[in-house]
Amino acid sequence: MKTSIKKGQNPINLVQEWLEDAQKKGIPDHNAIALATSNQNGHPNVRMVLLKEIDHKGFIFYTNYNSTKGREISHTSNVAFSLHWRTLKRQIRVKGSSEILEAVKSDEYFYSRPLQSRYGAWASKQSTILSSREKLINEVAKIALKLGKSPPRPEFWGGFRIIPSEIEFWNEGKFRIHDRFRYIWNKESAEWDSVRLYP
Ligand SMILES: Cc1cc2nc3c(=O)[nH]c(=O)nc-3n(C[C@H](O)[C@H](O)[C@H](O)COP(=O)(O)O)c2cc1C
């Protein structure tokens, strides 16, 4: 188990390692994160999304920019997410700020998706009221007829990158003496500081 704090360690890489461990274990939806945003009154809102990629800057997920989460992020870019793998007895928590992903990366991911999912992205006015399930199914069919076999990425759909400011790792210990450590991005030194915390 990699639980020791190493000075100079990049915690983004450690998240990647833990995710890979979860994937190797065959944990279903091993990359599902509980993502918290907040509205203009500071009221938090949480939902699951899939963490699709980790790059050197941060954590990438895809969604509808006009959805509730998209609109909340456009007001307040501060977000947080957590990951938990019960069988690995591990949790990760991240705090950070979101930015819109480069269009070229969103295009690349959009075109890698199955055709039906691309039609779905066009048809779903995510988070708004839908009068019936049939209406959505009809709209997907209409979009398919209209856009044909290679629909472009809608402008209202794409990725966000979460740039982390804090990343915390938790590993279950015997008798609930857990191991918990946190990395905090130090803007002045441009390095990650790390501290161990009481569990
Ligand atoms: C396991 C799981 C993964 C999900 N992944 C995504 C995702 O990657 N992107 C997305 O927009 N919604 C995803 N959803 C749906 C969201 O949880 C949510 O219902 C939707 O995005 C609308 O949220 P909002 O109204 O807060 O914007 C997922 C749901 C589950 C249960």
Side-chain angles (χ1 to χ4, degrees):
M1 288 283 184
K2 294 185 177 66
T3 54
S4 58
I5 301 173
K6 284 185 235 144
K7 203 167 159 45
Q9 184 170 29
N10 183 334
I12 298 179
N13 295 342
L14 191 54
V15 175
Q16 181 74 58
E17 279 179 33
W18 281 26
L19 259 177
E20 283 167 13
D21 289 346
Q23 188 172 25
K24 280 184 211 142
K25 279 260 176 206
I27 295 174
D29 284 340
H30 70 282
N31 59 337
I33 63 177
L35 172 74
T37 54
S38 59
N39 72 11
Q40 280 167 295
N41 301 323
H43 198 127
N45 200 357
V46 182
R47 82 291 284 155
M48 306 305 295
V49 295
L50 295 180
L51 176 58
K52 297 305 291 189
E53 195 189 330
I54 298 180
D55 66 13
H56 69 283
K57 285 198 212 156
F59 305 97
I60 295 167
F61 70 93
Y62 292 90
T63 194
N64 183 313
Y65 291 134
N66 297 329
S67 65
T68 299
K69 76 182 89 47
R71 283 184 287 109
E72 288 183 345
I73 289 170
S74 74
H75 291 301
T76 311
S77 63
N78 289 339
V79 298
F81 71 83
S82 68
L83 279 154
H84 170 236
W85 304 286
R86 187 180 153 75
T87 45
L88 291 179
K89 303 178 178 188
R90 284 173 172 175
Q91 170 183 247
I92 294 175
R93 296 165 65 180
V94 175
K95 277 163 81 175
S97 95
S98 304
E99 61 178 28
I100 297 236
L101 191 65
E102 300 78 29
V104 61
K105 288 202 75 152
S106 287
D107 285 344
E108 199 181 306
Y109 176 68
F110 184 77
Y111 294 120
S112 76
R113 302 179 88 212
L115 190 55
Q116 283 302 320
S117 308
R118 285 181 265 157
Y119 293 144
W122 270 100
S124 177
K125 300 176 185 71
Q126 195 176 47
S127 316
T128 65
I129 292 173
L130 171 64
S131 55
S132 70
R133 179 113 189 109
E134 289 67 41
K135 182 166 163 38
L136 174 60
I137 289 161
N138 288 338
E139 281 171 5
V140 172
K142 272 194 222 155
I143 291 282
L145 273 180
K146 189 172 155 201
L147 299 178
K149 294 283 177 222
S150 49
R153 177 174 63 90
E155 277 185 10
F156 58 80
W157 191 99
F160 282 108
R161 181 188 286 108
I162 299 170
I163 315 286
S165 51
E166 286 186 26
I167 306 184
E168 188 183 305
F169 298 85
W170 180 99
N171 215 336
E172 190 175 302
K174 276 192 182 156
F175 307 109
R176 310 208 76 74
I177 310 292
H178 311 306
D179 195 12
R180 183 175 169 205
F181 48 99
R182 182 184 291 161
Y183 292 83
I184 300 159
W185 181 247
N186 183 328
K187 281 187 196 157
E188 278 167 29
S189 64
E191 274 184 10
W192 289 99
D193 294 335
S194 53
V195 285
R196 190 174 296 272
L197 300 168
Y198 281 97

